[in-house]
Every structure is written in structure tokens, then in C-alpha cells.
Amino acid sequence: MGDQQVSPLAPYDPPLEETYKNLLKNELGGSSPMSVQEQIIVEARELPLIDLNKLRSGEKEREECKREIAKASEEWGFFQVLNHGIPRNLLVEMREEQEKLFRKPFIEKLNDKNLLDGSYWWGTSSANCLAHQFSWSEAFHLPLSHIYDSGCLTSISSTMEQYASKVSELAQQFAEILTENIGQDPSYIKQMCLPNTCYLRMNRYPSCPLPQEVTGLMPHTDSDFLTILHQDEIGGLQLFKDGKWVAVKPYDGALIINIGDLFQAWSNDVYKSVEHRVVVNKWSERFSMAYFLCPTHDTIIESFVKPSVYRRFSFREYRQQVQEDVKKFGCKIGLPKFLNII
Ligand SMILES: O=C(O)CCC(=O)C(=O)O
Ligand SMILES: [Fe+2]
């Protein structure tokens, strides 16, 4: 079969290779696109690492820690934290539950609408997508309202509920620090982001025979205030900084925090929502889990600094615009669509 060869799939694997090759055939007559790795230089760097124990220490250390968080959010849009208060055994349990879930047969994940409320997603669903916009991954992306309201007492739901409540507290803590730093009422984001307006996303990136050609997750920014990410030891997350892709080295026990579009707009570009992507490898699958701090759909995002870089918009409007752009162009445009034209 030569080039047409497709690796044998485990019963839980989505048909990523077949789908990708079909897309490629239609688009390029079968030739390979430019290498993911070669497009732009990749360099490995340590993300700023912040020890949150300092927040529980004396006044001086506490203030220093807050400054580190603000500085990293301004300069990197990304940082990692240690001593974050989420027990290691809860992270291990979440990972075990996540693995159990992804090991269910592909057909069941796809068709069982009771399995985490039909929140399963794989590859790239937008119909007009091009091969270079294809994501080599699968995910369960679910609103926390579902976890809290389901009343479902399966082990995954109860572990997720515990994790969600811990990680929400942590997210609020960062939001307060960053809000206070730009001179706003620290409780502002708490009033807009309710426990059930946020999202949890469990990602799995199967090993990939074509890691030079395809990304696990396409370059994107997150459409939220901030994201808290837990990744395993495999590595693959990269962020775009100073014109280069920077590979984020996994740090045992750390959580990664990144600023989303809403914080960038609301802070009038003080904090940076940075583009990131995931690369895949031939040898190993990878798991990660992201918590997205999102407001209610009616929340208005408007910078208090005038003139503001972005026009006033509601979160509902932002989401709709993103969905529309993905449908039309195969990818998200994001904040550039909301620039204030003066
Ligand atoms: O898996 C990762 O490391 C990143 C995931 C991510 O960026 C997302 O889910 O938005
Ligand atoms: Fe992301």
C-alpha cells in the first residue's frame, strides 16, 4: 500500500491518520506540507517559576510574589506555580480517571451522549478545514455547570468536582492579584465568573507517525480570563515569544497558568494572551487538563483605560465571533476583530 499505509488503531483511538491523509490528498494532491518544527525556530526555555508558599508568608514575601505573578503575566502571558494547594493525590486521581475515559472505545466516546454530556471532540470538526489546521488530539470539553448539576455520582464526576472546586479557588486567587495590580476592585472577576460558568477540558494527544507534519493542537489563544493547565511529563506545549516558538519543559508537580483574551482586552493590553500550540511525537501519547476561567455570557468586557485598544463587547458576542470565524476561515481570529478603530 506504500504511502497509503495506515497504522493499526487501538479500539479507543480516533481515526486521525486516515482523516488527515484524506484531507491532505484533497488539498495538495498528496504532497506533505511544510514541517511544523521547521516553520519557525523552536527553543527550550524555563517558564517563570513561582512558589505560591510566599503568598502564605510575611507581608514582604507576599507582595514580592504578587509582583512576580504580574510581571510574568505582562512579559510572558505564561508562568508556572509550585505549592499551589492542589493535593498531588487529586492530580493523580484525575489523571487516572482521564485515562479510563479516553480508553473507552472510540465509537462509545463519539456516540454515547450520556458520556460527559456528549462533550467529546476529536481532530478538527470545522467542515472546511485544511490539512494544516488539523489537530492530532481528542478531548472532553465540558462546562462546569454540567459537573455541578448532573447529580451523577460516577467516580469521574466526583473526582472532577473536587478538582474543579480546588482549581476554581486558585484561579480566583490569580484573578484577584492581577486585578488589584491594575488598580481595579479585586473582587470584580469573582462577580463575573461564577463557579458554573467555567470549563474543564481533558486533552489526549495520541502518539503520531507524522509529528513533523501535524500539530496536536493548532496555534491559538484562549478565549477566557485565564487558564490553569496540568500537563504530564511528556512535553509538547509551546508558546510564541519574541518571534520564536518556545518549548515549555514539564516541571514535576507544577501547574501552568496562562492569560486569556478577556484579561488582555480588559487590562488594555497590560497582560498578554499569548499564542500557544501542542506538538506531538512518535513515541508516546500525552495527557493534559485545562481549566478555563470564563464569565457569564452577558458579561461586558470594557477597559477602564481610555482610549482603549479594544471596543466594548460581551462574552457572548466574542464567542459567537470566534465560532463564525472558525467556520469561515478554519481558525479563530480573536482579539484583532475587536480593535477600536479610531
Ligand atoms: O495540552 C496542552 O498543553 C495545552 C492545551 C490547550 O492549550 C488548551 O486546551 O487550550
Ligand atoms: Fe490553550
Side-chain angles (χ1 to χ4, degrees):
M1 285 203 325
D3 259 8
Q4 299 303 308
Q5 190 109 33
V6 168
S7 327
L9 288 181
Y12 50 81
D13 271 326
L16 292 164
E17 186 167 359
E18 194 186 337
T19 312
Y20 174 71
K21 287 195 164 163
N22 283 336
L23 276 171
L24 205 58
K25 226 187 306 174
N26 295 342
E27 194 189 327
L28 297 169
S31 63
S32 297
M34 193 175 24
S35 151
V36 168
Q37 309 285 345
E38 280 167 16
Q39 284 165 23
I40 301 160
I41 307 155
V42 177
E43 95 182 5
R45 280 175 70 178
E46 302 278 347
L47 278 185
L49 180 66
I50 302 175
D51 180 355
L52 295 189
N53 264 345
K54 289 209 257 174
L55 286 178
R56 293 164 216 123
S57 310
E59 176 77 14
K60 190 165 159 273
E61 270 118 330
R62 205 162 53 235
E63 289 310 312
E64 194 181 292
C65 187
K66 289 181 182 177
R67 267 199 308 277
E68 284 175 41
I69 291 171
K71 187 166 183 268
S73 305
E74 290 166 24
E75 291 175 5
W76 282 78
F78 261 86
F79 55 96
Q80 44 190 350
V81 293
L82 285 173
N83 295 312
H84 40 68
I86 300 190
R88 188 178 274 269
N89 65 342
L90 185 53
L91 291 171
V92 171
E93 266 171 49
M94 265 308 279
R95 162 62 196 255
E96 285 167 0
E97 291 294 349
Q98 192 179 355
E99 201 166 329
K100 263 200 273 176
L101 195 62
F102 281 112
R103 292 285 183 260
K104 288 186 185 288
F106 170 62
I107 293 300
E108 187 180 332
K109 289 185 282 192
L110 194 63
N111 294 331
D112 182 356
K113 296 301 169 220
N114 291 323
L115 189 62
L116 296 184
D117 216 17
S119 58
Y120 181 66
W121 167 103
W122 70 280
T124 305
S125 52
S126 42
N128 65 343
C129 73
L130 304 166
H132 70 271
Q133 288 163 344
F134 186 73
S135 291
W136 194 277
S137 53
E138 55 177 342
F140 286 91
H141 185 95
L142 71 162
L144 289 192
S145 55
H146 171 74
I147 305 176
Y148 293 131
D149 302 343
S150 68
C152 179
L153 291 175
T154 55
S155 62
I156 175 87
S157 302
S158 102
T159 310
M160 274 191 324
E161 193 168 337
Q162 283 177 57
Y163 180 72
S165 82
K166 287 270 178 208
V167 84
S168 305
E169 261 175 54
L170 191 62
Q172 291 292 350
Q173 207 176 358
F174 291 124
E176 276 178 26
I177 291 170
L178 292 171
T179 307
E180 194 180 10
N181 180 61
I182 48 175
Q184 295 304 298
D185 174 0
S187 70
Y188 188 67
I189 289 186
K190 201 176 201 147
Q191 293 160 28
M192 303 190 281
C193 302
L194 309 175
N196 61 1
T197 59
C198 301
Y199 290 79
L200 197 62
R201 179 181 170 104
M202 290 175 278
N203 296 307
R204 174 177 173 260
Y205 304 88
S207 58
C208 172
L210 315 154
Q212 299 294 323
E213 283 181 30
V214 64
T215 42
L217 205 55
M218 293 216 330
H220 68 281
T221 56
D222 293 345
S223 305
D224 59 355
F225 273 104
L226 60 86
T227 306
I228 300 190
L229 182 84
H230 181 244
Q231 63 165 343
D232 66 14
E233 68 295 347
I234 302 299
L237 173 65
Q238 301 184 343
L239 61 99
F240 200 63
K241 181 164 168 58
D242 306 329
K244 291 181 195 136
W245 284 105
V246 174
V248 176
K249 269 208 244 158
Y251 196 106
D252 185 36
L255 291 173
I256 295 173
I257 319 301
N258 67 280
I259 298 297
D261 300 341
L262 304 186
F263 231 143
Q264 173 164 333
W266 189 56
S267 70
N268 212 35
D269 278 354
V270 171
Y271 302 131
K272 304 289 181 306
S273 176
V274 166
E275 224 184 352
H276 51 286
R277 67 178 184 180
V278 176
V279 296
V280 278
N281 70 76
K282 276 190 181 167
W283 305 279
S284 183
E285 64 182 344
R286 170 178 183 267
F287 290 91
S288 74
M289 186 165 56
Y291 169 89
F292 300 100
L293 182 68
C294 296
T296 58
H297 287 180
D298 294 326
T299 297
I300 299 294
I301 304 295
E302 182 179 23
S303 164
F304 41 88
V305 180
K306 300 286 176 262
S308 51
V309 180
Y310 307 97
R311 69 168 174 82
R312 171 193 158 96
F313 59 87
S314 72
F315 184 45
R316 172 176 291 105
E317 197 186 339
Y318 195 74
R319 283 171 55 102
Q320 277 167 356
Q321 184 66 55
V322 168
Q323 278 162 15
E324 215 174 278
D325 291 340
V326 168
K327 239 187 183 156
K328 213 151 122 195
F329 309 113
C331 60
K332 164 182 167 182
I333 311 284
L335 283 180
K337 276 262 162 135
F338 291 83
L339 284 168
N340 229 341
I341 316 289
I342 305 165

